[in-house]
Amino acid sequence: MDGTEIVLPPTPSDPTGDRATEQPIGESGRPAASPPRLRWVLAAGGSLAVTLAAAVVAAILVGGAGPSGLLARTPADSVAYLEVRFDLPGDQRERVGRFLAHFPGFDDRSLLEPKLADLFERAVAGVSEGRLHWSGGIDAWFGGQAAVVVRRLPEPGAGHDLEPMPLLLATVTDPAAARTWATGALDALAVPWTRDSLAGLEVLRAGGGVEERAIAVDDEILVAGRLDDVRAVLETRPGASLAAEAPTKAALAALPADHVAWLYVDGVAYRDWLARVLAGSGAAVELAGLGAPDWLTAELRFDGDLAVVESVAPAGAARSAVPVERADRVPADVVAFVGLGGFGATVIERVDTLRSEPALRDALEPVLAALERVGGLEAIVGWIDELGLAVGVDGDQPWAALLARPRDRAAAEALAGSLLNLARLTVPGLVVDEASVDGTTIVSVELPPALGGGGPPLGDSSRLRIAWAVGPDVVVVAPEAAVVRRILELDPSASLARDGRYATLVARAGGPGGSRTVFLDLARLRTLVEEQLDPAERARYERDIRPYLLPFDAAAAVTRTDGSLERSILVVRVEEAE
């Protein structure tokens, strides 16, 4: 491959994947060492689950066009569905090939398939302590499509049902080989099992009571999970499946067809479950469920030098269409920037929603009453059209700043004045300093050394400081006046908005003009972490980790309203390592 030998766990000589152990267990039901609780999960689907866990890397080699046939076999009452496609070429095969070419050992496309087989073999053998295998085992029957399904969420007070047990589905190309593998896997992992019939099909059963599990193979799929869930899959027909549900159809139509992984979540079922969990507890049901959409879908796809994660959900009433524009005030050398459009209006709308809930009203009213001392919630956040957070490093000193775009500068100035007056009245020994930058006043305050009353004095370096300025088009708050000054004096040509890398990534994520924007300089973050590495760890890091981090350049995410939908796109870019 790339000249590096991959050492795998010892492999028994049997190439079929039906490898026996010291104490094989079969239809005879002979006792063996008592397996750990839920150990059957490893037998029924552990190797498949590991394959899915490795899918973010492994599925890079393939692509998909629309959801697999597994969705049409999934019960309609399922809460969540995640599928990974290993089989479909589509346009993704070429695009992810270019993506992987940036990483060590993947520049030769002809070696990608062997590398993938090695990855699967190590993953499966590792999780099963060398008892299960990909080569000659799973690969003999696996059809290239796999899914993890959550059919129900754990109910409170339901004993073992509190333990989540996802349903595993996989397409099969050779049903006989899949059945042989299933029995061999159970035997290899020393899990007692029996044959039985379920929905007119032979199944393997293990455990009992709420712990009873099953594995079944028909002409199309292998399914493993709770006995009742396996029965539901075997009895599901396409016209009455999750694929036939209206929300699922809307979710499928909302995203491009080509992908390597696809997720669907039933938000209505989640909210109903949350209400049952918190019922009678006095907890804030609506607080936890607030903003949960009726459904959510997301997919992973690749586009040459980009990994793309796109998610879509119905746009709620609180979703803002105010665009993010404050990157024009952010220095181009920041490590991270987050912009939230319509911040003030969204906060007020959410609080009003919470106040309408009887369970929350009594708890919120004292807090809102306290805010009246400085004008109330409207005075505190109502003037904010956009709120941004910028984080950077100057030399070896980290810095951070909040930037707000005011829709009412007078309201912002009034709030700043009220807060300063309140601090002067309530904090003895407060130190206040003022400076001017092009007609805008920077106010800097420093708390006295002794904080918390009677506590030990803090050294000068530990004193709490905060500075702010209310300019014509920006409000800046930071721990140091120097940071506020730097932002006020920033030349627009040196801003993040004018940075080519930022502009390109935001555009590829669907911006500009999104209501939320995130930017991360991954290369700079890596460098900062490397500077803090312990010398004892550096050699291993340089050899085993850094080559695979080096290609990651930057990431950006944009959220925007698209008709009746809210669409978020995250892009992660890689580039040729120097």
Side-chain angles (χ1 to χ4, degrees), residues 52-53 56 78 92 114 121 160 199-200 237 251 255 288 335 391 426:
L52 288 171
V56 171
S78 299
Q92 290 291 283
E121 180 64 29
H160 295 304
R237 296 296 175 262
L255 287 172
V335 175
V391 179
T426 58

Side-chain angles (χ1 to χ4, degrees), residues 330-331 337-338 388-392 399-403 475-479 483-484 487:
V330 177
F337 169 70
V338 179
L389 171 65
V391 179
W399 61 267
L402 286 172
L403 302 90
V475 176
V476 187
V477 182
V483 176
V484 177
I487 291 174

Side-chain angles (χ1 to χ4, degrees), residues 85 111 126 163 170 200 247 278 321 345 424 436 440 492 521:
R85 304 297 298 265
L111 298 178
E163 296 182 0
L278 299 179
R424 281 173 166 155
S436 180
T440 297
D521 187 335

Side-chain angles (χ1 to χ4, degrees), residues 9-12 14 16-25 32-33 35-36 39 42 47 121 123-134 137 181 184-191:
T11 303
D14 180 5
T16 67
D18 234 357
R19 296 161 169 96
T21 64
E22 296 82 358
Q23 291 180 296
I25 304 295
R39 184 174 177 178
L42 290 178
S47 52
E121 180 64 29
V124 174
V127 77
S128 63
E129 298 179 349
R131 298 184 181 191
L132 302 180
H133 298 268
W134 170 264
W181 173 84
L186 288 165
D187 288 346
L189 292 170
V191 176

Side-chain angles (χ1 to χ4, degrees), residues 5 32 79 131 159 194 277 284 299 321 336 366 393 425 485 494 532 538 565 570:
E5 180 181 3
V79 177
R131 298 184 181 191
T194 59
V277 169
E299 72 175 20
V393 177
L425 291 173
R485 177 181 292 274
Q532 305 302 316
R538 181 168 291 277
L565 302 175
L570 165 67

